[in-house]
DNA sequence: GTAGGGTTAG
């Protein structure tokens, strides 16, 4: 590439320059890189005496840096050729790097700007920092972001709202929404972007309940709400399964006349699907006039997660009939439909087709889904073979799913082999989820000594087990429960309800399967642990606080446990309640003692 | 001539 550029610079494009010379440089619009290179050659040829020289060089520099059909390295070549580049040039280059596949280059370019003043690097200004912070945000470089924050304050730019919004974004993506909130709090006359940045920041940092709370405060304070705000709070609703709030936000969006905007429609489809209302999602989807790939993908993904796999695939076909090209995420949704339906052959076919028909290179998401499909369907050997042929190292999620499947299919030998493999992988060495699962495999095999070793190792590494929790929304308020939680104000009533449930279940002849509890404790305590899984606490609370006969919706952050799954089925029958539970990978609709997943998940 | 938040993933 570089060689080709050099050749062109040195005059090999002479003929084409001639072709363009009948246009004046001023009028020339650049639309392709080859035009940009021609213009460059012409500028070099006519020399610096030309009155439009600088302006045109700037123009083609901006094109090379920022246009989707531009060329970053070419832009850098031009930048480096400027005798006295100004801050606009540097900012443009930093901006280009910040949205490129290699955002760290933005920081590299920035350093000379704050080093000892040199002839070549201009001083940073208020435009420089938002781009730099974006790079930090994308790379989750919170420490560097904090240093930048210091530089910003020292240079007197700490009150620039664009910079403040970028800081909120950077801190939140880096898992520091507390610091983001400090920035937000200190802002005087906060506008809609400030509020939206902070709401979105809470969602990015996995704190959707706070996001919803802030949205409500924003509305109470009478701050105008726009489509970005609505999209952000809908993401929070989707995450928590807060259907009531989601419906209210839907109303707000319609009142403001922004309910049909493409981004809002997609967020609504996603929210309804993730809150368990696949019909509402479909209604929104059907009303979207010009469906883009986002809308199609959100709908296909929703159908797949609800186990409507045939519908998902049919919609995928229809999407192509409409001339909409799938992207990588669409294919993940399609593969997850295959996974949930146990369609092994189709899975293979889509893996091939995405590359052949659409030129999409499969990512770890696609391989991960395919491995899960194979493994859960019982093709453990094929799954292992598939992993070996992957062009990348398996990651933590993939290994976890694989080990989970070994556990489901009672293949302890393979699990143990995978564990050894997993432990030597660099990428997984700090994934607490993998360790927990490994510990669980040992525990279920009764290897308490090995389990203890894993626990000690986790301690050494300072890894904490991510808590399992379930959420339920009652009267527009979200309640969260952890295992054996006693912190809820109504804990006493909840535990009494649980006892009542157990009585009912015993009458139905149900006894818990104790091997599911992966702790070295006696049987009575095991039974206690099982009956206090977070989803059961949420369920008991739901039974107390919702109308008899109404649906109960629960969202949990882990894959469903076999025992709880069995209990949910029974309760749906004994209490005549439809229970809609979302777990980490899909929905379970319990009704009349059966589950929509047909006990396959 | 440059800037801020915003939809779909195993």
């Amino acid at each position: 590439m570089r060689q080709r550029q050099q050749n062109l610079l040195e005059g090999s494009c002479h003929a084409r320059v001639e072709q363009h010379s009948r246009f004046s440089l001023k009028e020339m619009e650049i639309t392709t890189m080859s035009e940009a290179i021609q213009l460059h050659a012409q500028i070099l040829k006519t020399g610096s005496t030309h009155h439009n020289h600088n302006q045109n060089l700037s123009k083609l520099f901006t094109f090379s840096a920022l246009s989707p059909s531009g060329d970053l390295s070419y832009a850098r070549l031009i930048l480096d050729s400027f005798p006295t580049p100004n801050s606009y040039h540097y900012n443009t280059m930093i901006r280009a790097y910040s949205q490129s596949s290699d955002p760290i280059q933005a920081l590299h370019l920035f350093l000379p700007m704050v080093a000892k003043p040199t002839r070549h690097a201009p001083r940073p200004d208020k435009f420089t920092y938002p781009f730099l912070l974006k790079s930090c945000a994308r790379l989750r470089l919170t420490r560097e972001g904090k240093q930048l924050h210091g530089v910003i304050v020292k240079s007197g730019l700490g009150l620039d709202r664009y910079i403040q919004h970028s800081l909120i974004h950077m801190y939140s993506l880096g898992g520091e929404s507390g610091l983001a909130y400090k920035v937000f709090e200190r802002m005087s006359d906060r506008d809609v972007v400030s509020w939206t940045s902070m709401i979105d920041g809470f969602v990015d940092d996995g704190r959707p309940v706070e996001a919803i709370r802030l949205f409500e405060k924003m509305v109470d304070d009478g701050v105008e709400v726009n489509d970005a705000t609505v999209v952000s709070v809908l993401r929070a609703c989707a995450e928590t399964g807060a259907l009531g709030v989601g419906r209210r936000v839907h109303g707000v969006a319609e009142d403001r006349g922004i309910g049909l905007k493409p981004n809002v429609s997609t967020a609504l489809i996603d929210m309804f699907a993730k809150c368990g209302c696949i019909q509402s999602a479909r209604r929104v989807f059907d009303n979207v006039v010009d469906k883009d790939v986002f809308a199609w993908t959100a709908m296909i993904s929703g159908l797949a997660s609800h186990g409507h796999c045939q519908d998902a695939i049919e919609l995928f076909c229809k999407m192509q009939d409409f001339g909409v090209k799938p992207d990588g995420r669409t294919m993940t949704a399609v593969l997850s439909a295959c996974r949930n339906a146990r369609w092994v052959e189709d899975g293979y076919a889509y893996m091939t087709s995405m590359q052949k028909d659409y030129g999409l290179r499969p990512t770890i998401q696609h391989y991960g889904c395919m491995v899960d499909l194979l493994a859960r369907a019982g093709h453990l050997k094929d799954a292992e073979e598939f992993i070996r042929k992957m062009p990348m190292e398996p990651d933590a999620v993939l290994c976890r799913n694989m080990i989970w499947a070994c556990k489901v299919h009672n293949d302890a030998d393979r699990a143990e082999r995978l564990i050894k493999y997993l432990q030597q992988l660099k990428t997984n060495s700090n994934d607490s989820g993998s360790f927990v699962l490994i510990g669980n495999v040992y525990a279920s095999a009764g290897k308490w000594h090995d389990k203890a070793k894993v626990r000690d190792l986790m301690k050494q590494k300072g890894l904490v087990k991510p808590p399992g929790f379930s959420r339920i929304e009652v009267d527009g308020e979200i309640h969260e429960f952890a295992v054996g939680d006693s912190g809820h104000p109504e804990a006493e009533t909840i535990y009494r309800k649980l006892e009542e449930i157990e009585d009912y279940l015993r009458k139905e002849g149900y006894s818990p399967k104790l091997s599911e509890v992966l702790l070295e404790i006696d049987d009575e305590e095991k039974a206690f642990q099982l009956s206090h899984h977070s989803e059961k606490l949420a369920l008991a609370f739901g039974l107390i606080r919702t109308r008899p006969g109404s649906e109960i919706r629960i969202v949990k952050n882990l894959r469903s446990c076999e025992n709880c799954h069995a209990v949910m089925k029974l309760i749906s029958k004994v209490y005549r309640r439809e229970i809609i539970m979302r777990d980490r990978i899909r929905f379970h609709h319990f009704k009349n003692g059966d589950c929509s997943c047909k006990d396959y998940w």
Side-chain angles (χ1 to χ4, degrees), chain A residues 400-577:
Chain A
R400 231 183 293 165
N401 285 340
M402 190 70 205
I403 294 171
W404 166 278
C406 291
K407 200 163 106 48
V408 170
H409 292 285
N410 293 316
D411 194 337
D413 291 346
R414 196 184 304 272
E416 204 150 333
R417 199 167 66 242
L418 282 163
I419 286 166
K420 293 214 175 87
Y421 177 64
L422 173 62
Q423 280 170 330
Q424 60 161 44
L425 289 181
K426 280 198 203 82
T427 46
N428 289 327
S429 59
N430 283 317
D431 177 63
S432 61
S434 304
F435 281 97
V436 171
L437 189 61
I438 290 166
N440 289 353
V441 171
Y442 282 135
S444 59
K447 295 184 173 178
W448 303 112
H449 183 67
D450 286 331
K451 186 191 153 75
K453 274 203 294 201
V454 172
R455 198 182 47 209
D456 290 344
L457 195 63
M458 281 183 75
K459 223 177 190 173
Q460 271 175 36
K461 287 174 174 270
L463 298 178
V464 188
K465 180 180 170 175
F469 62 78
S470 297
R471 292 189 179 120
I472 181 168
E473 185 199 54
V474 174
D475 297 332
E477 211 183 305
I478 298 142
H479 299 260
E480 196 173 294
F481 297 91
V483 191
D485 207 337
S486 55
H488 195 276
E490 295 181 49
E492 213 176 298
T493 329
I494 293 168
Y495 279 94
R496 256 207 310 279
K497 188 72 182 177
L498 273 178
E499 280 171 32
E500 178 201 306
I501 292 172
E502 278 164 37
D503 279 347
Y504 266 119
L505 294 188
R506 260 194 295 276
K507 276 183 208 149
E508 289 281 320
Y510 170 77
S511 67
K513 189 178 159 194
L514 299 183
S515 63
E516 277 278 317
V517 182
L518 305 166
L519 292 167
E520 193 180 16
I521 43 181
D522 63 36
D523 279 359
E524 195 182 330
E525 211 181 317
K526 276 184 191 178
F528 176 85
Q529 284 277 349
L530 275 180
S531 60
H532 298 117
H533 271 180
S534 64
E535 54 267 54
K536 283 197 196 140
L537 297 177
L539 176 66
F541 184 68
L543 284 171
I544 298 166
R545 289 281 300 271
T546 59
R547 256 183 314 110
S550 63
E551 293 170 342
I552 293 177
R553 292 162 197 281
I554 296 170
V555 171
K556 65 172 296 185
N557 67 335
L558 302 174
R559 233 161 148 148
S560 181
C561 128
E562 203 179 314
N563 188 274
C564 287
H565 194 266
V567 171
M568 296 272 169
K569 285 204 289 187
L570 274 165
I571 288 179
S572 74
K573 190 168 133 196
V574 175
Y575 285 81
R576 296 210 177 87
R577 288 284 198 127

Side-chain angles (χ1 to χ4, degrees), chain A residues 174-189:
Chain A
E176 297 267 21
S177 52
L179 291 176
Y181 195 73
K182 276 193 180 157
V183 175
F184 175 73
E185 260 183 325
R186 285 196 202 124
M187 295 181 74
S188 50
D189 64 296

Side-chain angles (χ1 to χ4, degrees), chain A residues 203-394:
Chain A
V203 183
D204 283 337
D205 194 18
R207 294 166 69 175
V209 179
E210 272 107 324
I212 290 170
R213 218 171 278 151
L214 194 64
F215 172 76
E216 276 164 356
K217 186 160 185 308
M218 179 180 178
V219 174
D220 286 347
D221 283 12
V223 185
E224 72 154 307
V225 163
N226 67 17
D227 56 326
T229 321
V230 165
V231 168
S232 294
V233 73
L234 284 174
R235 280 177 63 207
C237 296
E239 170 92 26
T240 49
L243 180 62
V245 182
R247 285 199 196 285
R248 275 213 311 277
V249 176
H250 189 187
V252 170
E254 290 192 326
D255 290 347
R256 314 265 145 136
I258 52 175
L260 294 175
K261 282 197 152 211
N263 53 349
V264 174
S265 311
T266 300
L268 281 168
I269 293 165
D270 189 52
M271 180 277 292
F272 278 125
K274 288 191 176 144
C275 287
C277 288
I278 196 67
Q279 296 89 347
S280 300
R282 188 62 194 241
R283 267 197 296 278
V284 174
F285 176 78
D286 287 340
N287 281 327
V288 179
V289 184
D290 261 324
K291 300 177 178 63
D292 59 11
V293 67
F294 293 103
W296 287 98
T297 303
M299 196 63 229
I300 293 169
S301 170
L303 288 168
S305 74
H306 282 265
H308 300 180
C309 304
Q310 191 61 50
D311 293 346
I313 298 299
E314 275 165 22
L315 208 62
F316 176 60
C317 297
K318 205 166 155 195
M319 163 183 163
Q320 294 167 90
D321 292 344
F322 272 80
V324 178
K325 263 185 71 177
D327 66 9
R329 297 209 182 188
T330 319
M331 296 315 297
T332 311
V334 167
L335 287 168
S336 96
C338 297
R339 189 266 309 274
N340 289 345
R342 223 188 298 208
W343 291 334
V344 172
E345 290 311 316
D346 299 75
Y348 278 126
Y350 286 120
M351 283 297 285
T352 309
S353 145
M354 68 182 281
Q355 302 172 69
K356 218 180 67 201
D357 301 333
Y358 293 104
L360 297 167
R361 191 196 298 268
T363 65
I364 192 76
Q365 314 277 341
H366 305 101
Y367 288 108
C369 198
M370 193 62 209
V371 168
D372 201 27
L373 162 57
L374 292 169
R376 277 301 281 110
H379 304 265
L380 291 167
K381 196 172 162 229
D382 293 345
E384 241 189 301
E385 195 61 28
F386 194 82
I387 292 174
R388 255 184 266 286
K389 285 190 195 148
M390 274 167 31
M392 70 278 276
E393 228 187 28

